[in-house]
Amino acid sequence: MTTLSRRALNRATLERQLLLRHAKMSARDAVEHLAGLQAQAPFPPYYALWARLHGFRPMDLAELLESRQVVRIALMRGTVHLVTAADALAWRPVVQLLYDRDLKQNTLHAQALAGLDHDVVAAAARELLLDAPLSSTALGAELARRWPDVPTASLTHLARGRLPLVQIPPRAIWGKAGQATYACLDEWVASPLPPPSPAALIARYLRAFGPATVADVQTWAGITRLGEVAAGMDLRRYRDPDGRELLDLPELTVPEEDVPTPARLLGPFDQTILSYADRTRVISDEHRKRVITQNGLVKGTLLAGGYVRGFWELKASRKAAAVELTPFEKLPKRDLQALESAAARLLSWAEPGAETREVRVLA
């Protein structure tokens, strides 16, 4: 069995994540290829596509949301992702186990929900959402009319756990503001949810993130016992430097270790650094502590030589906009110049109305 070096795994990750070169593909095809985008906040998916696609415009993604070709929905790891409608339908039944377990174990809500028939509450919530999309507050208030002794927040949590709720526009439309307002996925896209297929989910993960261990897949998905599923699949198998088995799709290959790696600015919450049990293929443990804050925010990062070497932040007001680059170490002059150039392009793309734009490199 072939052993892949950490450098080889790094290059494979960058290739699958469209980070070795800007891809010439549609925004929809990119969302599908990447197995969705992290979307805990409304706008990180736009930055993720800007970093990867040639000529990406915010309206390219906004139009997909408005036409219901892509949706924002809580999926893997219990976090909100932006995925194609087809993937949302296919994947929510697979990860439903995660949400069922949470309803029984959640420290804030499990006790309040223990005496309820979850199916009955979920059915009532679905009926309400058939009439019109509702915010969390409005949905909880309506459910509380029927279950007045249960905390409103707990009723809303139950609805989100048992129903495949999508956050509908104008939420996450570039240049617009809107609170999270929910509809049921199957009603929103007029298509039923299929039976769960864990094997198909594993295959899609490997296409976007492989080669990877079972632990990596489970970390991304937020569910366990996928090793049993993978054992029955026709997969290519490698070893990593620590002797762990790596899985991959048989038709895919790994690029050469010395393939060039351009310097890039990755957006906040970029999935490249969040989708593995062992993230050292793209970021060191030391650097990860500086990128991911204690309250779970993930900063935009500097990618140089294939690895995260710092973070960036956008500072904007009505008249002025600046990108501040904070390298963690002294970078080669060529990489730093490339990052400064990327930051200037990012400013023009993200803040076209600013009267002044500035790129600052902080020590």
Side-chain angles (χ1 to χ4, degrees), residues 60-268:
D60 297 336
L61 182 55
E63 289 173 354
L64 293 175
L65 282 162
E66 291 175 331
S67 64
R68 310 188 187 190
Q69 295 182 64
V70 303
V71 296
R72 288 168 49 82
I73 181 173
L75 283 174
M76 289 74 72
R77 304 187 304 286
T79 60
V80 177
H81 284 69
L82 185 146
V83 298
T84 66
D87 284 342
L89 290 164
W91 295 350
R92 181 57 191 253
V94 182
V95 300
Q96 184 58 43
L97 293 170
L98 168 69
Y99 295 91
D100 292 341
R101 182 172 67 244
D102 173 75
L103 289 173
K104 295 178 181 179
Q105 300 177 356
N106 187 279
T107 55
L108 294 177
H109 303 294
Q111 185 174 355
L113 297 174
L116 294 179
D117 186 320
H118 291 190
D119 290 336
V120 172
V121 178
R126 176 179 283 275
E127 191 68 25
L128 289 166
L129 293 169
L130 283 174
D131 291 336
L134 296 171
S135 67
S136 293
T137 301
L139 178 60
E142 290 296 326
L143 291 172
R145 294 176 185 272
R146 184 166 174 181
W147 290 277
D149 297 330
V150 180
T152 301
S154 295
L155 292 168
T156 305
H157 187 78
L158 192 159
R160 285 199 297 259
R162 291 301 303 273
L163 298 175
L165 300 185
V166 293
Q167 297 181 10
I168 67 171
R171 182 71 167 176
I173 298 299
W174 187 265
K176 296 183 180 180
Q179 66 175 329
T181 303
Y182 296 93
C184 286
L185 167 67
D186 45 329
E187 299 291 342
W188 183 248
V189 302
S191 184
L193 278 72
S197 176
L201 185 69
I202 292 171
R204 288 295 304 284
Y205 173 84
L206 294 175
R207 187 169 296 279
F209 296 101
T213 65
V214 169
D216 290 326
V217 186
Q218 292 183 158
T219 294
W220 172 77
I223 55 177
T224 58
R225 304 187 66 178
L226 292 181
E228 301 170 13
V229 180
M233 298 174 64
D234 177 21
L235 297 172
R236 188 190 299 258
R237 287 171 163 79
Y238 302 98
R239 294 285 180 191
D240 74 4
D242 296 321
R244 294 171 295 198
E245 185 179 62
L246 297 163
L247 308 176
D248 204 8
L249 299 180
E251 67 271 21
L252 299 183
T253 58
V254 175
E256 297 293 331
E257 291 188 8
D258 59 355
V259 64
T261 56
R264 294 285 183 89
L265 300 183
L266 301 186

